[in-house]
């Protein structure tokens, strides 16, 4: 129900009605408080009575005992009362005196918890032996039925006390006769929700044992399924679930008003003592039913049962009202006996939640209004009542709310069918439209060309940063706020809209007090019979945030393109420099008695050039110098460092420096590079003596060479050495290896073996396996085949590979230089 707060002078309700509403609200709150106090006192008195009956103490002693238990157990007095009523602390006086701890009875699946949520516990008897007498059961049952408040609770208490010997009951059903002769299932326990729903309403037809009991006043004992099934309808979801059943009359004030059904899984006749026990139990039910009163009003009222399905199908709000009269016959209130799903009261209760409540409980300020008087007139005369939309005011604590309704009432027998319509929907639609405009940062605008009247929504003023007191901006004033460069295109769009009626969807910019804003206007013209525009409808949207994001993205894209151009140029320069400094031979090199094959493959990254390099040349004394390295990083800086290392290493070894001395000097060279050019590098430096066929080598943090010999592949054990440019005083070791005819010695960079998310050992093992397959045979082998096996499709790093092969027969002399 939509409503809004109003001031006293705007409510439109008579002051006496407003005061009455306030009084009703106050009395309602006080009544709820008194009801809570009354229920609390009732629970306390019942708990005291139970304790007095069990221990024989006086009322003050029972109260003191309850207080003591609550204090010792850390509970409130009400919690202790419910424990006493629910059997949770049974016979405390006895057990505590004996030093025993009381135990709770295990819950049975057919009725350990009340179906009604109003009750927390039931009084459940303790375990019985087979020698339990009917008198003891009746005594406990009499105590257990004290204070029941409805038929459902009554059925649960009955099952709790009749479940054990000697009755051995498994389920209980309590049918109550309505005024029209039908039966209503007032209470049940142990039968299950599905079966209870099927037998909730029983028509007055023949063959119903409960109905026959009420009509005859005589008990019916069903002890033979085959024989009894032909005479009576047996309420069960399985034919043989309860082989024996008893139906007993419940007599109230000399009239049989109900039937008690006791259902057993025991396949044996009811003995005389059991029959007597059940008849006495039915007699005890009579008093409890009298205390419970009549069955539920909405179930007993046939009119309500017929009207409720109709109201369930209605799309609007509607209720069935039954008058509640005083002793003099005057209507004091109306009871809601049926309600449509869309019916709602001021407390937010809907549909079936309203059934059973009073009108003045749901709408306290309705009394004394014209609608209330219309209800009474319709009930008296039978003429339908209808009222024009009128305000209805509800007073809640601290808040007064008003809504507008139109009401209709029609008499149905001695009841009223009332329908109403809330007219606050239009206001709600306006609120939703305002939310859409605010969230979308747009506002609508109308322009009547005939009267030259412009209308803006509130959001347009916020978008244009204009004071609403100044009114909408005229077409002559708008150009003064546009940026000059946007004015020609905007003018053409407006002329097309006003001249030919061409729709407009155009971006433009305006200046406001908070700066430049990017806006979008979408508009269309309404044409008359001569196709002339007479009205313009459209909206204006603030797209500043979107446009600024687009401009930022465009600037980023341009910066990326510029950076890519620079990197591409650097790549071209670096590649040409690399090709000039590191020429790759077109065929195998013959150095001393070795055949040397070289392979260099750049990465698939078009913008980066790596620092991988190699060197192989014959020295004046007939020995051969071998070197391979990898400079950290990419680009021109890496290529420059590579050239520096390559030529310096060749020069130092060429002039007679030892391998380890050369590595130390190269380390100092990188370590003392100018600021901004510092880098690190790995390297293997070797010198081969063809006379002794021995290779001496040293390394600086590089991967070990791989020796392929007679079908095997093993990595050489590297001497000590850290990468170049890392520490000021490094230590480098020296190792030797003798080559035999047919051997292959591979020097390589890390791009050949490293893979993302893979251990280095896995890459080295893959290299050894491929080299064994491709180079371990009797032939010279092929580096191309080896690389095809090792390199992935997406090569992320440069690869340099050097193969030194000692043929089985002497190699041809090197060509003259």
């Amino acid at each position: 129900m939509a409503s809004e707060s109003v001031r006293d002078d705007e409510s439109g309700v008579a002051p006496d009605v407003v005061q009455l509403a306030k009084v009703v609200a106050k009395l309602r709150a006080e009544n709820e408080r008194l009801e809570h106090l009354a229920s609390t006192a009732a629970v306390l008195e019942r708990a005291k009575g139970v304790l007095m009956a069990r221990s024989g103490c006086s009322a003050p002693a029972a109260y003191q005992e309850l207080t003591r238990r609550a204090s010792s157990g850390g509970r409130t007095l009400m919690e202790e009362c419910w424990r006493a009523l629910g059997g949770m602390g049974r016979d405390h006086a006895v057990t505590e005196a004996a030093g025993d701890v009381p135990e709770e009875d295990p819950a049975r699946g057919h009725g350990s918890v009340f179906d009604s949520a109003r009750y927390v516990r039931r009084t459940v008897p303790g375990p019985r032996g087979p020698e339990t007498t009917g008198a003891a059961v009746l005594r406990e049952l009499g105590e257990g039925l004290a204070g029941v408040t409805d038929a459902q609770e009554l059925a649960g208490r009955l099952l709790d006390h009749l479940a054990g010997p000697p009755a051995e009951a498994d389920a209980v059903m309590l049918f109550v006769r309505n005024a029209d002769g039908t039966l209503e299932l007032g209470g049940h326990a142990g039968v299950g929700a599905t079966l209870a729903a099927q037998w909730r309403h029983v028509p007055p037809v023949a063959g119903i044992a409960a109905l026959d009991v009420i009509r005859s006043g005589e008990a019916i004992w069903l002890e033979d399924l085959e024989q009894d099934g032909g005479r009576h309808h047996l309420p069960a979801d399985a034919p043989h679930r309860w082989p024996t059943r008893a139906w007993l009359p419940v007599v109230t004030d000399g009239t049989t008003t109900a039937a008690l059904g006791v259902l057993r899984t025991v396949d044996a006749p009811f003995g005389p003592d059991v029959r007597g026990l059940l008849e006495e139990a039915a007699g005890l039910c009579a008093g409890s039913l009298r205390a419970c009163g009549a069955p539920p009003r909405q179930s007993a009222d046939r009119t309500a049962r017929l009207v409720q399905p109709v109201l369930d199908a209605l799309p609007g709000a509607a209720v069935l009202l039954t008058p509640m009269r005083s002793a003099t016959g005057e209507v004091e209130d109306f009871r809601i006996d049926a309600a449509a799903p869309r019916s709602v009261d001021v407390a937010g209760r809907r549909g079936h939640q309203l059934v059973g409540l009073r009108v003045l409980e749901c709408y306290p300020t309705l009394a004394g209004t014209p609608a209330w008087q219309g209800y009474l007139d319709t009930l008296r005369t039978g003429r339908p009542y209808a009222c024009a939309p009128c305000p209805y005011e509800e007073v809640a604590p601290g808040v007064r709310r008003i809504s507008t309704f139109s009401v209709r009432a029609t008499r149905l027998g001695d009841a009223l069918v009332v329908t109403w319509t809330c007219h606050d929907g239009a206001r709600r639609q306006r609120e939703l439209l305002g939310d859409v405009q605010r969230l979308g940062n747009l506002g609508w605008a109308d322009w009547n060309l005939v009267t030259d009247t412009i209308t803006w929504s509130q959001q347009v003023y916020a978008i244009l940063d204009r004071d609403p007191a100044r009114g909408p901006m005229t077409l002559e004033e708008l150009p003064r706020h546009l940026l000059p460069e946007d004015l020609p295109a905007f003018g053409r769009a407006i002329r097309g809209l006003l001249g030919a009626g061409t729709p407009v969807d155009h971006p433009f910019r305006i200046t406001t007090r908070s700066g430049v804003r990017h806006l979008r206007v979408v508009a269309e013209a309404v044409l008359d019979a001569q196709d002339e525009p007479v009205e313009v409808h459209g909206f204006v949207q603030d797209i500043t945030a979107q446009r600024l994001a687009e401009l930022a993205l465009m600037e980023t894209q341009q910066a990326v393109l510029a950076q890519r151009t620079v990197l591409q140029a650097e790549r071209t320069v670096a590649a040409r420099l690399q090709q000039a400094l590191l020429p790759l031979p077109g065929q195998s090199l013959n150095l001393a008695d070795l055949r040397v094959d070289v392979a260099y493959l750049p990465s698939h990254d078009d913008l980066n050039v790596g620092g991988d390099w190699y060197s192989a040349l014959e020295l004046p004394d007939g020995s051969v110098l071998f070197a391979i390295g990898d400079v950290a990083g990419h680009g021109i800086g890496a290529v420059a460092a590579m050239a520096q290392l390559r030529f310096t290493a060749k020069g130092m070894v060429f002039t007679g420096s030892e391998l380890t001395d050369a590595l130390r000097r190269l380390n100092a060279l990188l370590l003392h590079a100018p600021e901004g050019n510092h880098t690190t590098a790995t390297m293997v430096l070797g010198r081969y003596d063809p006379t002794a066929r021995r290779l001496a080598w040293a390394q600086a943090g590089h991967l070990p060479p791989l020796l392929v010999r007679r079908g095997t592949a093993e990595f050489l054990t590297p001497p000590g050495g850290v990468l170049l440019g890392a520490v000021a005083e490094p230590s480098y070791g020296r190792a030797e290896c003798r080559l035999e005819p047919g051997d292959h010695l591979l020097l390589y960079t890390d791009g050949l073996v490293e893979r993302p998310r893979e251990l280095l050992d896995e890459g080295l093992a893959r290299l050894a396996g491929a080299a064994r397959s491709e180079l371990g045979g009797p032939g010279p082998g092929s580096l191309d085949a080896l690389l095809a096996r090792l390199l992935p499709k997406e090569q992320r790093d440069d690869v340099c590979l050097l193969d030194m092969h000692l043929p089985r027969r002497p190699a041809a002399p090197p060509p003259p230089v």
Side-chain angles (χ1 to χ4, degrees):
M1 178 182 293
S3 60
E4 59 182 349
S5 301
V6 296
R7 300 191 302 271
D8 290 347
D9 54 352
E10 295 179 350
S11 63
V13 181
D16 55 343
V17 176
V18 175
Q19 294 300 323
L20 174 62
K22 294 180 180 180
V23 172
V24 170
K26 182 178 180 180
L27 291 177
R28 182 169 55 186
E30 180 66 17
N31 184 53
E32 292 176 355
R33 187 183 68 83
L34 293 176
E35 287 180 353
H36 174 71
L37 291 177
S39 62
T40 301
V43 172
L44 176 60
E45 292 303 319
R46 290 175 60 190
K48 288 166 57 179
V50 170
L51 197 59
M52 291 168 60
R54 290 176 179 170
S55 62
C57 63
S58 62
Y63 179 82
Q64 292 178 1
E65 178 63 15
L66 289 172
T67 305
R68 186 191 64 80
R69 293 180 185 180
S71 176
S72 62
R75 296 180 290 271
T76 65
L77 181 59
M78 283 298 100
E79 290 175 345
E80 189 61 41
C81 290
W82 279 116
R83 288 172 60 86
L85 291 173
M88 298 173 63
R90 180 177 314 279
D91 297 330
H92 276 279
V94 177
T95 56
E96 289 179 1
D100 296 331
V101 179
E103 296 182 357
E104 296 181 13
D105 296 327
R108 293 192 306 274
H110 56 251
S112 62
V113 179
F114 242 168
D115 291 344
S116 173
R118 295 193 301 270
Y119 306 103
V120 179
R121 297 285 187 208
R122 287 201 296 263
T123 301
V124 183
R128 303 195 191 106
E131 69 280 4
T132 304
T133 63
V137 174
L138 288 175
R139 183 169 59 253
E140 292 181 356
L141 179 59
E143 294 177 1
L145 295 184
V148 295
T149 57
D150 60 17
Q152 180 63 34
E153 184 182 9
L154 174 60
R157 298 280 180 93
L158 283 170
L159 182 58
D160 287 335
H161 291 80
L162 298 178
E168 300 292 345
D170 294 281
V172 168
M173 303 179 74
L174 187 63
F175 283 99
V176 181
R177 183 174 61 179
N178 296 322
D180 56 359
T182 61
L183 293 184
E184 187 77 16
L185 183 60
H188 63 88
V191 298
T194 302
L195 183 61
Q198 294 173 353
W199 288 82
R200 178 68 61 186
H201 305 289
V202 179
V205 297
I208 304 297
L211 190 60
D212 293 343
V213 166
I214 294 177
R215 288 173 177 174
S216 65
E218 298 291 332
I220 296 178
W221 308 92
L222 306 179
E223 299 167 330
D224 188 337
L225 279 177
E226 295 182 359
Q227 179 180 354
D228 299 330
R231 295 180 300 166
H232 299 284
H233 297 289
L234 304 179
D237 52 355
H240 300 282
R241 182 175 177 182
W242 295 297
T244 55
R245 314 158 193 239
W247 293 96
L248 305 109
V250 179
V251 181
T252 306
D253 297 329
T255 304
T256 304
T257 58
L260 171 62
V262 178
L263 294 76
R264 306 192 310 173
T265 57
V266 178
D267 191 5
F270 294 90
D273 56 336
V274 177
R275 292 194 178 196
L277 171 62
L278 296 183
E279 289 174 349
E280 292 293 335
L284 292 176
C285 291
S288 298
L289 278 180
R290 188 185 301 110
C292 295
R297 295 187 297 259
Q298 61 271 31
S299 300
D301 191 345
R302 181 177 179 84
T303 303
R305 292 201 306 271
L306 295 175
V307 171
Q308 184 62 64
V310 178
L311 297 187
D312 287 339
L314 293 181
V319 292
L320 175 67
L321 304 182
T322 300
M324 303 180 68
R325 302 180 184 274
S326 65
T328 61
E330 296 181 357
V331 177
E332 296 180 330
D333 204 342
F334 291 89
R335 186 180 66 242
I336 302 175
D337 283 345
R342 292 184 178 270
S343 305
V344 59
D345 71 347
V346 295
R349 292 169 290 200
R350 295 179 177 273
H352 292 186
Q353 295 177 342
L354 301 174
V355 175
L357 302 180
R358 299 188 179 191
V359 168
L360 294 183
E361 182 182 356
C362 301
Y363 310 97
T365 59
L366 188 62
T369 63
W372 183 266
Q373 189 60 42
Y375 292 174
L376 299 180
D377 292 342
T378 299
L379 191 63
R380 183 178 63 257
T381 64
R383 293 192 301 269
Y385 166 77
C387 72
C390 58
Y392 170 78
E393 184 179 34
E394 167 61 13
V395 179
V399 181
R400 294 177 56 216
R401 296 174 296 181
I402 187 169
S403 299
T404 303
F405 294 92
S406 58
V407 183
R408 295 181 61 87
T410 304
R411 190 171 73 180
L412 179 63
D414 191 33
L416 294 179
V417 176
V418 178
T419 62
W420 68 89
T421 303
C422 179
H423 297 283
D424 293 341
R427 183 179 61 84
R428 180 57 180 158
Q429 292 296 328
R430 291 193 297 270
E431 293 177 354
L432 293 177
L433 179 59
D435 292 341
V436 170
Q437 295 182 75
R438 176 177 53 82
L439 296 174
N441 206 5
L442 57 86
W444 58 264
D446 290 336
W447 185 12
N448 190 319
L449 301 180
V450 178
T451 61
D452 196 21
T453 303
I454 300 176
T455 305
W456 284 0
S457 69
Q458 193 66 28
Q459 190 65 23
V460 177
Y461 292 99
I463 292 174
L464 298 181
D465 196 13
R466 184 178 177 87
D467 186 1
R470 300 176 59 187
M473 193 181 301
T474 63
L475 191 62
E476 292 77 13
E477 183 183 358
L478 182 60
R480 296 200 297 267
H481 298 275
L482 265 71
L483 267 65
E485 52 268 33
D486 293 349
L487 191 57
F490 184 81
R492 289 193 297 271
I494 296 300
R495 286 194 296 271
L497 175 67
L498 301 179
T502 305
V504 170
D505 187 347
H506 188 76
F508 63 98
R509 293 170 294 174
I510 65 169
T511 56
T512 65
R513 291 173 295 181
S514 58
V516 177
R517 292 187 178 180
H518 296 260
L519 305 181
R520 172 194 179 203
V521 60
V522 178
E524 62 179 6
V526 179
L527 307 180
D528 59 8
Q530 288 75 35
D531 292 335
E532 294 292 333
V534 293
E535 287 187 2
V536 173
H537 305 302
F539 68 85
V540 179
Q541 184 177 19
D542 187 350
I543 58 173
T544 302
Q546 175 185 345
R547 185 57 180 162
L548 292 179
E550 293 175 353
L551 293 176
L553 179 60
M554 186 179 301
E555 292 177 359
T556 303
Q557 291 175 341
Q558 292 175 351
V560 170
L561 291 176
Q563 182 67 18
R564 187 177 183 86
T565 301
V566 172
L567 293 176
Q568 189 65 50
E570 182 179 337
R571 160 73 181 185
T572 302
V573 172
R576 291 178 179 176
L577 180 61
Q578 185 185 50
Q579 293 172 3
L581 298 175
L582 191 67
L584 296 178
Q587 58 185 359
S588 299
L589 299 175
N590 293 321
L591 301 176
D593 57 351
L594 298 177
R595 191 192 74 180
V596 179
D597 290 313
V598 180
Y600 183 89
L601 291 92
S603 69
H604 292 172
D605 187 352
D606 294 337
L607 299 180
N608 289 307
V609 175
D612 294 21
W613 62 276
Y614 81 96
S615 181
L617 77 159
E618 189 170 346
L619 299 177
D621 60 358
S623 62
V624 180
L625 171 67
F626 294 99
I628 192 167
D630 186 1
V631 177
H634 296 81
I636 293 179
V639 174
M642 175 269 291
Q644 192 176 29
L645 289 176
R646 183 171 184 266
F647 290 113
T648 303
K650 290 168 59 177
M652 287 189 292
V653 176
F654 196 87
T655 57
S657 297
E658 291 293 332
L659 301 179
T660 55
D661 291 340
L663 290 179
R664 279 192 291 270
R665 294 174 184 177
L666 293 175
N667 177 77
L669 180 66
L670 292 185
L671 198 62
H672 296 89
E675 185 176 355
N677 295 328
H678 180 267
T679 185
T680 59
T682 65
M683 184 176 177
V684 171
L685 189 62
R687 189 167 185 168
Y688 173 72
D689 181 2
T691 305
R693 293 180 179 174
R694 186 172 297 276
L695 174 70
W697 65 287
Q699 62 89 27
H702 202 84
L703 296 174
L706 177 63
L707 177 62
V708 181
R709 175 177 293 171
R710 293 190 294 273
T712 63
E714 294 182 0
F715 291 98
L716 301 183
T717 302
V722 297
L723 75 165
L724 303 177
V727 296
E729 296 182 0
S731 176
Y732 297 102
R734 181 176 180 276
E736 291 186 357
C737 173
R738 189 176 187 281
L739 298 184
E740 298 178 1
D743 286 354
H744 288 267
L745 187 65
L746 299 182
L747 304 179
Y748 52 92
T749 57
D750 56 5
L752 187 64
V753 294
E754 289 184 345
R755 299 288 184 272
R757 298 179 299 276
E758 182 182 82
L759 296 176
L760 180 60
D761 290 344
E762 298 179 24
L764 294 175
R766 182 171 52 249
L767 171 61
R772 187 168 48 251
S773 300
E774 298 296 335
L775 305 178
S782 170
L783 287 189
D784 292 337
L786 178 64
L787 293 173
R789 291 171 59 98
L790 293 175
L791 295 181
K793 294 182 179 179
E794 293 294 332
Q795 181 185 333
R796 299 189 178 187
D797 198 1
D798 294 356
V799 173
C800 184
L801 177 60
L802 193 65
D803 177 19
M804 295 182 293
H805 175 53
L806 180 60
R808 297 185 184 277
R809 60 179 182 274
V817 178

